[in-house]
Coordinates of all heavy atoms in Angstrom, one line a residue:
M7 N 43.5 -13.6 30.8 CA 43.1 -14.8 30.2 C 43.4 -14.9 28.8 O 43.2 -13.9 28.0 CB 41.6 -14.9 30.5 CG 41.1 -16.3 30.0 SD 39.4 -16.4 30.6 CE 38.9 -17.9 29.7
W8 N 43.9 -16.0 28.2 CA 44.3 -16.1 26.9 C 43.1 -16.4 26.1 O 42.3 -17.2 26.3 CB 45.4 -17.1 26.7 CG 45.9 -17.2 25.3 CD1 46.7 -16.3 24.7 CD2 45.5 -18.3 24.4 NE1 47.0 -16.7 23.4 CE2 46.2 -18.0 23.2 CE3 44.8 -19.3 24.4 CZ2 46.1 -18.7 22.0 CZ3 44.6 -20.2 23.3 CH2 45.3 -19.8 22.1
R9 N 43.0 -15.8 24.9 CA 41.8 -16.0 24.0 C 42.3 -16.6 22.7 O 43.4 -16.2 22.2 CB 41.1 -14.7 23.6 CG 40.4 -14.1 24.8 CD 39.8 -12.8 24.5 NE 38.4 -13.0 24.6 CZ 37.4 -12.1 24.3 NH1 37.8 -11.1 23.6 NH2 36.3 -12.3 24.5
Q10 N 41.6 -17.4 22.1 CA 42.0 -18.0 20.7 C 41.7 -16.9 19.7 O 40.9 -16.1 19.8 CB 41.1 -19.2 20.4 CG 41.4 -20.3 21.3 CD 40.6 -21.5 20.8 OE1 39.5 -21.3 20.3 NE2 41.0 -22.7 21.2
P11 N 42.7 -16.8 18.7 CA 42.5 -15.9 17.6 C 41.3 -16.4 16.7 O 41.0 -17.5 16.6 CB 43.8 -15.9 16.8 CG 44.5 -17.2 17.3 CD 44.0 -17.5 18.6
H12 N 40.7 -15.4 16.1 CA 39.5 -15.6 15.3 C 39.8 -16.6 14.2 O 38.9 -17.4 13.8 CB 39.0 -14.5 14.6 CG 38.3 -13.4 15.6 ND1 37.2 -13.7 16.2 CD2 38.8 -12.2 16.1 CE1 36.7 -12.7 17.0 NE2 37.8 -11.8 17.0
S13 N 41.0 -16.6 13.6 CA 41.2 -17.5 12.4 C 41.2 -19.0 12.9 O 41.0 -19.9 12.1 CB 42.6 -17.2 11.9 OG 43.7 -17.4 12.8
V14 N 41.4 -19.3 14.2 CA 41.3 -20.7 14.7 C 39.8 -21.1 14.7 O 39.6 -22.3 14.4 CB 42.0 -20.7 16.1 CG1 41.7 -22.2 16.7 CG2 43.4 -20.4 16.0
L15 N 39.0 -20.1 14.9 CA 37.5 -20.5 15.0 C 36.9 -20.7 13.6 O 35.9 -21.3 13.5 CB 36.8 -19.4 15.7 CG 37.2 -19.1 17.2 CD1 36.5 -17.9 17.8 CD2 36.9 -20.4 18.1
V16 N 37.6 -20.1 12.5 CA 37.1 -20.2 11.2 C 37.5 -21.6 10.6 O 38.7 -21.9 10.7 CB 37.5 -19.1 10.4 CG1 37.0 -19.2 9.0 CG2 37.0 -17.9 11.1
R17 N 36.5 -22.3 9.9 CA 37.0 -23.7 9.4 C 37.9 -23.6 8.3 O 38.8 -24.4 8.2 CB 35.6 -24.3 8.8 CG 34.7 -24.6 9.9 CD 33.5 -25.2 9.3 NE 32.4 -25.4 10.3 CZ 31.2 -25.6 10.1 NH1 30.8 -25.7 8.9 NH2 30.3 -25.7 11.1
D18 N 37.9 -22.6 7.4 CA 38.9 -22.5 6.3 C 40.2 -22.1 6.9 O 41.2 -22.3 6.1 CB 38.4 -21.4 5.3 CG 37.1 -21.8 4.6 OD1 36.7 -22.9 4.7 OD2 36.5 -20.9 4.0
G19 N 40.4 -21.6 8.0 CA 41.7 -21.3 8.5 C 42.0 -19.8 8.3 O 43.1 -19.3 8.7
S20 N 41.1 -19.0 7.7 CA 41.4 -17.7 7.3 C 40.2 -16.8 7.5 O 39.1 -17.0 7.1 CB 41.9 -17.6 5.9 OG 41.8 -16.2 5.5
L21 N 40.3 -15.9 8.4 CA 39.2 -14.9 8.7 C 38.8 -14.2 7.4 O 37.6 -13.9 7.2 CB 39.6 -13.9 9.9 CG 38.6 -12.9 10.2 CD1 37.3 -13.7 10.8 CD2 39.1 -12.1 11.4
E22 N 39.8 -13.7 6.7 CA 39.5 -13.0 5.4 C 38.6 -13.9 4.5 O 37.7 -13.3 3.9 CB 40.7 -12.5 4.8 CG 41.5 -11.4 5.5 CD 42.5 -12.1 6.5 OE1 42.8 -13.4 6.5 OE2 42.8 -11.3 7.4
T23 N 38.9 -15.1 4.4 CA 38.2 -16.1 3.4 C 36.8 -16.1 4.0 O 35.8 -16.1 3.2 CB 38.8 -17.4 3.5 OG1 40.2 -17.3 3.0 CG2 38.1 -18.3 2.5
W24 N 36.6 -16.3 5.3 CA 35.3 -16.4 5.8 C 34.5 -15.1 5.6 O 33.3 -15.2 5.3 CB 35.4 -16.6 7.3 CG 34.1 -16.9 8.1 CD1 33.2 -17.9 8.1 CD2 33.5 -15.8 8.8 NE1 32.1 -17.6 8.7 CE2 32.2 -16.4 9.3 CE3 33.7 -14.5 9.1 CZ2 31.3 -15.6 10.0 CZ3 32.9 -13.8 9.9 CH2 31.6 -14.4 10.3
L25 N 35.1 -14.0 5.8 CA 34.5 -12.7 5.6 C 33.9 -12.6 4.1 O 32.8 -12.0 3.9 CB 35.3 -11.5 6.0 CG 35.4 -11.3 7.5 CD1 36.4 -10.1 7.8 CD2 34.1 -10.9 8.1
R26 N 34.9 -12.8 3.1 CA 34.6 -12.8 1.8 C 33.4 -13.7 1.4 O 32.4 -13.2 0.7 CB 35.7 -13.1 0.9 CG 36.7 -11.9 0.6 CD 37.7 -12.2 -0.3 NE 38.9 -12.1 0.3 CZ 39.9 -13.1 0.4 NH1 39.7 -14.2 -0.2 NH2 41.0 -12.9 1.1
K27 N 33.4 -14.9 1.9 CA 32.3 -15.8 1.7 C 30.9 -15.3 2.3 O 29.9 -15.4 1.6 CB 32.6 -17.2 2.3 CG 31.5 -18.2 2.1 CD 32.0 -19.6 2.7 CE 30.9 -20.6 2.4 NZ 31.3 -21.9 3.1
A28 N 31.0 -14.7 3.5 CA 29.9 -14.1 4.1 C 29.3 -13.0 3.3 O 28.1 -12.8 3.1 CB 30.1 -13.7 5.5
Q29 N 30.2 -12.2 2.8 CA 29.7 -11.0 1.9 C 29.2 -11.4 0.7 O 28.2 -10.9 0.2 CB 31.0 -10.0 1.6 CG 31.4 -9.3 2.9 CD 32.7 -8.5 2.7 OE1 33.4 -8.8 1.7 NE2 32.9 -7.6 3.6
R30 N 29.7 -12.5 0.0 CA 29.1 -13.0 -1.3 C 27.8 -13.6 -1.0 O 26.8 -13.3 -1.8 CB 30.0 -14.1 -1.8 CG 31.2 -13.6 -2.6 CD 31.8 -14.7 -3.4 NE 32.2 -15.9 -2.6 CZ 33.4 -16.1 -2.1 NH1 34.4 -15.2 -2.2 NH2 33.7 -17.1 -1.4
E31 N 27.6 -14.4 0.1 CA 26.2 -14.8 0.4 C 25.3 -13.7 0.6 O 24.0 -13.8 0.2 CB 26.4 -15.7 1.6 CG 27.0 -17.1 1.3 CD 27.2 -17.9 2.6 OE1 26.8 -17.4 3.8 OE2 27.8 -18.9 2.6
Q32 N 25.7 -12.6 1.4 CA 24.8 -11.5 1.7 C 24.4 -10.9 0.4 O 23.2 -10.4 0.0 CB 25.4 -10.6 2.6 CG 24.5 -9.5 2.9 CD 25.1 -8.5 4.0 OE1 26.3 -8.6 4.3 NE2 24.2 -7.7 4.6
A33 N 25.4 -10.6 -0.6 CA 25.1 -10.0 -1.8 C 24.2 -10.9 -2.8 O 23.4 -10.3 -3.5 CB 26.4 -9.7 -2.6
S34 N 24.2 -12.2 -2.7 CA 23.4 -12.9 -3.5 C 21.9 -13.0 -2.9 O 21.1 -13.3 -3.7 CB 23.9 -14.4 -3.5 OG 23.8 -15.1 -2.2
T35 N 21.8 -12.6 -1.7 CA 20.4 -12.6 -1.1 C 19.8 -11.3 -1.3 O 18.7 -11.1 -1.1 CB 20.4 -12.9 0.3 OG1 21.3 -12.0 1.0 CG2 20.9 -14.4 0.7
N36 N 20.5 -10.2 -1.8 CA 20.0 -8.9 -2.1 C 19.3 -8.9 -3.3 O 19.8 -8.3 -4.3 CB 21.1 -7.8 -2.0 CG 21.4 -7.5 -0.5 OD1 20.7 -7.8 0.4 ND2 22.6 -7.0 -0.2
T37 N 18.1 -9.6 -3.6 CA 17.4 -9.5 -4.7 C 16.5 -8.4 -4.7 O 16.1 -7.8 -3.7 CB 16.7 -10.9 -4.9 OG1 15.8 -11.1 -3.7 CG2 17.6 -12.0 -5.0
P38 N 15.8 -8.1 -5.8 CA 14.8 -7.0 -5.8 C 13.7 -7.2 -4.8 O 13.1 -6.3 -4.3 CB 14.2 -6.9 -7.3 CG 15.5 -7.5 -8.0 CD 16.1 -8.5 -7.2
E39 N 13.3 -8.5 -4.6 CA 12.2 -8.8 -3.6 C 12.6 -8.4 -2.2 O 11.8 -8.1 -1.4 CB 11.8 -10.2 -3.7 CG 11.3 -10.7 -5.0 CD 12.4 -11.1 -6.1 OE1 13.5 -11.5 -5.6 OE2 12.1 -10.9 -7.2
S40 N 13.8 -8.7 -1.8 CA 14.3 -8.4 -0.6 C 14.9 -7.0 -0.3 O 15.3 -6.6 0.8 CB 15.4 -9.4 -0.1 OG 16.6 -9.2 -0.9
A41 N 15.0 -6.2 -1.4 CA 15.5 -4.8 -1.2 C 14.5 -4.0 -0.6 O 13.3 -4.2 -0.6 CB 15.7 -4.3 -2.6
P42 N 15.0 -3.0 0.2 CA 14.0 -2.1 0.9 C 13.1 -1.5 0.0 O 13.6 -0.9 -1.0 CB 15.0 -1.1 1.7 CG 16.3 -1.3 1.1 CD 16.3 -2.7 0.5
K43 N 11.8 -1.3 0.3 CA 11.0 -0.7 -0.6 C 10.7 0.8 -0.2 O 10.8 1.2 0.9 CB 9.6 -1.4 -0.5 CG 9.6 -2.8 -1.0 CD 8.4 -3.5 -0.9 CE 8.5 -4.8 -1.4 NZ 7.2 -5.6 -1.4
K44 N 10.6 1.6 -1.2 CA 10.3 3.0 -1.0 C 8.9 3.2 -0.6 O 7.9 2.4 -0.8 CB 10.5 3.8 -2.3 CG 11.9 3.8 -2.9 CD 12.1 4.5 -4.2 CE 13.5 4.5 -4.6 NZ 13.6 5.3 -5.9
A45 N 8.7 4.2 0.2 CA 7.3 4.5 0.6 C 6.4 4.9 -0.5 O 6.7 5.6 -1.4 CB 7.3 5.7 1.6
A46 N 5.3 4.2 -0.5 CA 4.3 4.4 -1.5 C 3.6 5.9 -1.5 O 3.4 6.3 -0.3 CB 3.2 3.4 -1.5
L47 N 3.4 6.4 -2.5 CA 2.6 7.6 -2.5 C 1.2 7.4 -2.1 O 0.6 6.4 -2.7 CB 2.8 8.4 -3.9 CG 4.1 8.8 -4.3 CD1 4.2 9.3 -5.8 CD2 4.7 9.8 -3.4
P48 N 0.5 8.4 -1.5 CA -0.8 8.2 -1.1 C -1.7 8.3 -2.5 O -1.5 9.0 -3.4 CB -1.2 9.3 -0.3 CG -0.1 10.4 -0.4 CD 1.1 9.6 -0.9
I49 N -2.8 7.5 -2.4 CA -3.7 7.4 -3.6 C -4.6 8.6 -3.4 O -5.3 8.7 -2.4 CB -4.4 6.1 -3.7 CG1 -3.5 5.0 -3.9 CG2 -5.4 6.1 -4.8 CD1 -4.1 3.6 -3.8
R50 N -4.7 9.5 -4.5 CA -5.6 10.6 -4.4 C -6.9 10.2 -5.1 O -7.0 9.6 -6.2 CB -4.9 11.8 -5.2 CG -3.7 12.2 -4.7 CD -3.9 12.9 -3.3 NE -2.5 13.3 -2.8 CZ -2.4 13.7 -1.6 NH1 -3.4 13.9 -0.8 NH2 -1.2 14.1 -1.2
R51 N -8.1 10.5 -4.5 CA -9.3 10.3 -4.9 C -9.6 11.3 -6.1 O -9.6 12.5 -5.8 CB -10.4 10.4 -3.8 CG -11.9 10.1 -4.3 CD -12.8 10.3 -3.1 NE -12.5 9.3 -2.0 CZ -13.0 8.1 -1.9 NH1 -13.7 7.6 -2.9 NH2 -12.7 7.3 -0.8
Q52 N -10.1 10.9 -7.3 CA -10.4 11.8 -8.3 C -11.8 12.4 -8.1 O -12.1 13.6 -8.4 CB -10.2 11.2 -9.7 CG -8.9 10.8 -10.0 CD -8.7 10.1 -11.4 OE1 -9.8 9.9 -12.0 NE2 -7.5 9.9 -11.8
D53 N -12.7 11.6 -7.7 CA -14.2 12.0 -7.5 C -14.2 12.4 -6.0 O -13.5 11.8 -5.1 CB -15.2 10.9 -7.9 CG -15.0 10.6 -9.3 OD1 -14.8 11.4 -10.0 OD2 -15.3 9.3 -9.6
E54 N -15.2 13.3 -5.7 CA -15.5 13.6 -4.3 C -16.1 12.4 -3.6 O -16.9 11.7 -4.2 CB -16.4 14.9 -4.2 CG -17.6 14.7 -4.9 CD -18.4 15.9 -4.9 OE1 -18.3 16.8 -4.0 OE2 -19.1 16.2 -6.0
K55 N -15.7 12.3 -2.3 CA -16.3 11.1 -1.5 C -17.7 11.5 -1.2 O -18.1 12.6 -0.7 CB -15.5 10.9 -0.3 CG -16.0 9.7 0.5 CD -15.1 9.4 1.7 CE -16.0 8.3 2.5 NZ -15.1 7.4 3.2
I56 N -18.7 10.4 -1.3 CA -20.0 10.7 -0.9 C -20.3 9.9 0.4 O -20.1 8.7 0.3 CB -21.0 10.2 -2.0 CG1 -20.6 10.8 -3.3 CG2 -22.4 10.4 -1.7 CD1 -21.3 10.2 -4.6
G57 N -20.7 10.6 1.4 CA -21.0 9.9 2.8 C -22.5 9.6 2.6 O -23.3 10.0 1.9
R58 N -22.8 8.5 3.5 CA -24.2 8.0 3.6 C -25.3 9.2 3.7 O -26.4 9.1 3.3 CB -24.4 7.0 4.7 CG -23.9 5.7 4.5 CD -24.1 4.8 5.7 NE -25.4 4.8 6.4 CZ -26.4 4.1 6.0 NH1 -26.4 3.3 4.9 NH2 -27.7 4.2 6.7
N59 N -24.9 10.1 4.6 CA -25.9 11.1 4.9 C -25.7 12.5 4.1 O -26.3 13.5 4.4 CB -25.9 11.5 6.5 CG -26.4 10.3 7.2 OD1 -27.4 9.7 6.9 ND2 -25.7 9.9 8.2
D60 N -24.9 12.4 3.1 CA -24.7 13.5 2.2 C -25.9 13.7 1.3 O -26.4 12.8 0.7 CB -23.5 13.5 1.4 CG -22.2 13.7 2.2 OD1 -22.1 14.2 3.3 OD2 -21.1 13.3 1.8
M61 N -26.4 14.9 1.1 CA -27.4 15.2 0.1 C -26.8 15.3 -1.2 O -25.8 15.9 -1.5 CB -28.1 16.5 0.5 CG -28.8 16.6 1.9 SD -30.2 15.3 2.0 CE -31.4 16.2 1.0
V62 N -27.6 14.5 -2.1 CA -27.1 14.5 -3.5 C -28.1 14.7 -4.5 O -29.3 14.7 -4.2 CB -26.5 13.1 -3.8 CG1 -25.2 12.8 -3.0 CG2 -27.5 12.0 -3.8
V63 N -27.8 15.1 -5.6 CA -28.8 15.3 -6.7 C -28.6 14.2 -7.7 O -27.6 13.9 -8.2 CB -28.5 16.7 -7.4 CG1 -29.4 17.0 -8.6 CG2 -28.5 17.9 -6.5
I64 N -29.8 13.6 -8.1 CA -29.8 12.5 -9.1 C -30.8 12.9 -10.2 O -31.7 13.7 -9.9 CB -30.2 11.2 -8.4 CG1 -31.5 11.1 -7.7 CG2 -29.1 10.7 -7.4 CD1 -32.0 9.9 -7.1
K65 N -30.6 12.2 -11.3 CA -31.5 12.6 -12.4 C -31.8 11.5 -13.3 O -31.0 10.6 -13.5 CB -30.6 13.7 -13.3 CG -31.4 14.2 -14.4 CD -30.5 15.3 -15.1 CE -31.4 15.9 -16.2 NZ -30.6 17.0 -16.9
R66 N -33.0 11.4 -13.8 CA -33.5 10.5 -14.8 C -34.3 11.2 -15.8 O -35.5 11.6 -15.5 CB -34.3 9.3 -14.1 CG -34.8 8.3 -15.1 CD -35.4 7.1 -14.4 NE -36.7 7.5 -13.9 CZ -37.5 6.8 -13.1 NH1 -37.2 5.5 -12.9 NH2 -38.5 7.2 -12.5
G67 N -33.8 11.2 -17.0 CA -34.5 12.0 -18.1 C -34.6 13.4 -17.7 O -33.6 14.1 -17.4
E68 N -35.7 14.0 -17.6 CA -35.9 15.4 -17.2 C -36.2 15.5 -15.7 O -36.1 16.6 -15.1 CB -37.1 16.0 -17.9 CG -37.0 16.1 -19.4 CD -35.8 16.9 -19.8 OE1 -35.7 18.1 -19.2 OE2 -35.1 16.7 -20.8
E69 N -36.5 14.4 -15.0 CA -36.8 14.4 -13.6 C -35.5 14.6 -12.8 O -34.5 13.8 -13.0 CB -37.6 13.1 -13.2 CG -38.1 13.1 -11.8 CD -38.9 11.9 -11.4 OE1 -39.0 11.0 -12.4 OE2 -39.4 11.8 -10.4
T70 N -35.5 15.5 -11.8 CA -34.3 15.6 -10.9 C -34.8 15.4 -9.4 O -35.9 16.1 -9.1 CB -33.7 16.9 -11.2 OG1 -33.3 17.1 -12.4 CG2 -32.5 17.1 -10.3
Q71 N -34.1 14.8 -8.6 CA -34.5 14.7 -7.2 C -33.2 15.0 -6.4 O -32.1 14.7 -6.6 CB -34.9 13.4 -6.8 CG -36.3 13.0 -7.4 CD -36.9 11.7 -6.9 OE1 -36.3 11.0 -6.0 NE2 -38.1 11.3 -7.5
T72 N -33.4 15.5 -5.2 CA -32.4 15.8 -4.1 C -32.7 14.9 -2.9 O -33.9 15.1 -2.4 CB -32.3 17.2 -3.8 OG1 -32.1 18.0 -4.9 CG2 -31.2 17.5 -2.7
M73 N -31.9 14.1 -2.6 CA -32.0 13.2 -1.3 C -30.7 12.7 -0.8 O -29.8 13.0 -1.3 CB -32.9 12.0 -1.7 CG -32.3 11.0 -2.7 SD -33.3 9.7 -3.2 CE -34.6 10.4 -4.0
K74 N -30.8 12.1 0.4 CA -29.6 11.6 1.0 C -29.0 10.5 0.1 O -29.9 9.7 -0.5 CB -29.9 11.0 2.4 CG -30.1 12.2 3.4 CD -30.2 11.6 4.8 CE -30.3 12.7 5.9 NZ -30.3 12.1 7.2
W75 N -27.8 10.3 0.1 CA -27.1 9.2 -0.7 C -27.5 7.8 -0.3 O -27.8 7.0 -1.2 CB -25.6 9.3 -0.5 CG -24.8 8.3 -1.3 CD1 -24.1 7.2 -0.8 CD2 -24.9 8.1 -2.8 NE1 -23.6 6.4 -1.9 CE2 -24.1 7.0 -3.0 CE3 -25.4 8.7 -3.9 CZ2 -23.8 6.4 -4.3 CZ3 -25.3 8.2 -5.1 CH2 -24.5 7.2 -5.3
K76 N -27.9 7.6 1.0 CA -28.3 6.2 1.4 C -29.6 5.8 0.7 O -29.8 4.7 0.5 CB -28.2 6.1 2.9 CG -29.3 6.9 3.6 CD -29.1 6.7 5.1 CE -29.9 7.8 5.9 NZ -29.7 7.7 7.3
K77 N -30.4 6.8 0.4 CA -31.6 6.5 -0.3 C -31.5 6.4 -1.9 O -32.0 5.8 -2.5 CB -32.7 7.5 0.1 CG -33.2 7.6 1.5 CD -34.3 6.7 1.8 CE -34.8 6.8 3.1 NZ -35.9 6.2 3.4
A78 N -30.5 7.3 -2.3 CA -30.3 7.4 -3.7 C -29.4 6.4 -4.4 O -29.5 6.0 -5.5 CB -29.7 8.8 -4.0
E79 N -28.5 5.7 -3.5 CA -27.6 4.8 -4.0 C -28.3 3.6 -4.8 O -27.9 3.3 -5.8 CB -26.7 4.3 -2.9 CG -25.5 3.4 -3.3 CD -24.6 3.0 -2.2 OE1 -25.0 3.2 -1.1 OE2 -23.5 2.6 -2.6
P80 N -29.3 2.9 -4.2 CA -30.0 1.9 -4.9 C -30.5 2.3 -6.2 O -30.6 1.6 -7.2 CB -31.1 1.3 -3.9 CG -30.8 2.0 -2.7 CD -29.9 3.1 -2.8
M81 N -31.1 3.5 -6.3 CA -31.7 4.1 -7.4 C -30.6 4.3 -8.5 O -30.9 4.0 -9.6 CB -32.4 5.3 -7.1 CG -33.6 5.2 -6.1 SD -34.2 6.7 -5.5 CE -35.1 7.3 -7.0
V82 N -29.4 4.7 -8.1 CA -28.4 4.9 -9.1 C -27.8 3.7 -9.6 O -27.5 3.5 -10.9 CB -27.3 5.8 -8.5 CG1 -26.0 6.0 -9.3 CG2 -27.8 7.3 -8.1
N83 N -27.7 2.7 -8.7 CA -27.0 1.4 -9.0 C -28.0 0.6 -9.9 O -27.4 -0.4 -10.6 CB -26.6 0.7 -7.8 CG -25.3 1.3 -7.1 OD1 -24.7 2.1 -7.7 ND2 -25.2 1.0 -5.9
G84 N -29.3 0.7 -9.7 CA -30.0 -0.3 -10.5 C -31.4 0.3 -11.0 O -32.1 -0.4 -11.6
G85 N -31.7 1.5 -10.7 CA -32.9 2.1 -11.1 C -33.0 3.1 -12.2 O -33.9 3.6 -12.5
G86 N -31.9 3.1 -13.0 CA -31.9 4.0 -14.1 C -31.6 5.5 -13.9 O -31.6 6.3 -14.7
W87 N -31.3 5.8 -12.6 CA -31.0 7.2 -12.2 C -29.5 7.4 -12.3 O -28.8 6.5 -12.4 CB -31.4 7.4 -10.8 CG -32.8 7.5 -10.6 CD1 -33.7 6.4 -10.5 CD2 -33.7 8.7 -10.5 NE1 -35.0 6.8 -10.3 CE2 -35.0 8.2 -10.4 CE3 -33.4 9.9 -10.6 CZ2 -36.1 9.1 -10.3 CZ3 -34.5 10.9 -10.5 CH2 -35.8 10.4 -10.3
T88 N -29.0 8.6 -12.5 CA -27.7 9.0 -12.6 C -27.3 10.0 -11.6 O -28.1 10.8 -11.3 CB -27.1 9.6 -14.0 OG1 -27.9 10.6 -14.4 CG2 -27.3 8.4 -15.1
Y89 N -26.1 9.9 -11.0 CA -25.7 10.8 -10.0 C -25.2 12.0 -10.7 O -24.5 12.0 -11.7 CB -24.5 10.2 -9.2 CG -23.7 11.2 -8.4 CD1 -24.2 11.6 -7.1 CD2 -22.4 11.6 -8.7 CE1 -23.6 12.5 -6.3 CE2 -21.8 12.5 -8.0 CZ -22.3 13.0 -6.8 OH -21.6 13.8 -6.0
V90 N -25.7 13.3 -10.2 CA -25.3 14.5 -10.9 C -24.1 15.2 -10.0 O -23.1 15.5 -10.5 CB -26.5 15.4 -11.0 CG1 -26.1 16.8 -11.6 CG2 -27.5 14.8 -11.8
K91 N -24.4 15.5 -8.7 CA -23.5 16.1 -7.9 C -23.9 16.1 -6.4 O -25.1 15.7 -6.1 CB -23.3 17.6 -8.3 CG -24.7 18.4 -8.1 CD -24.4 19.9 -8.4 CE -25.8 20.7 -8.2 NZ -25.5 22.0 -8.3
K92 N -23.1 16.5 -5.5 CA -23.5 16.8 -4.1 C -24.3 18.0 -4.1 O -24.0 19.0 -4.8 CB -22.3 16.9 -3.3 CG -21.7 15.7 -2.6 CD -20.6 16.1 -1.7 CE -20.1 14.9 -0.9 NZ -19.1 15.1 0.1
A93 N -25.4 17.9 -3.3 CA -26.2 19.1 -3.1 C -25.5 20.1 -2.2 O -24.8 19.7 -1.2 CB -27.6 18.8 -2.6
D94 N -25.7 21.5 -2.4 CA -25.0 22.4 -1.6 C -25.6 22.6 -0.3 O -26.8 22.6 0.0 CB -24.9 23.7 -2.3 CG -24.0 23.5 -3.6 OD1 -23.0 22.8 -3.5 OD2 -24.3 24.2 -4.6

């Protein structure tokens, strides 16, 4: 069966012209926004994570208490207490 050459299917009459135009359009769409992104590095936690049931040491003035974080958190956030460390 006879097939039509590609140049007949292209409006400009030339396959090379069509290819160059397509390459220019593709190059113009390669902006920094559409460029492939590099994998992000994981964020490392600087402070140790405190779980709800972890025992912590908190301090207010000379007074020191050891309790679970879920009880100590409201005291640290609004009661004048400061977090010292995780209890061993």
Side-chain angles (χ1 to χ4, degrees):
M7 180 173 175
W8 183 77
R9 299 176 114 190
Q10 291 180 336
H12 289 288
S13 62
V14 174
L15 299 175
V16 178
R17 292 182 188 162
D18 295 342
S20 165
L21 182 59
E22 292 82 18
T23 305
W24 180 80
L25 284 173
R26 276 189 243 118
K27 182 178 178 184
Q29 288 172 345
R30 278 194 307 267
E31 288 174 359
Q32 185 177 9
S34 68
T35 60
N36 285 339
T37 59
E39 296 86 28
S40 66
K43 295 182 180 178
K44 294 181 182 178
L47 295 174
I49 298 172
R50 302 285 180 191
R51 182 181 300 270
Q52 291 181 0
D53 299 326
E54 56 187 329
K55 181 175 172 147
I56 307 171
R58 279 179 48 84
N59 291 316
D60 288 341
M61 296 296 287
V62 296
V63 178
I64 58 174
K65 185 175 183 178
R66 179 174 63 183
E68 296 295 320
E69 187 179 359
T70 303
Q71 290 188 7
T72 302
M73 63 179 69
K74 287 188 176 183
W75 176 246
K76 62 185 173 185
K77 298 268 186 175
E79 187 175 16
M81 296 168 71
V82 170
N83 290 337
W87 292 81
T88 57
Y89 168 78
V90 177
K91 65 177 183 172
K92 268 188 176 181
D94 295 325

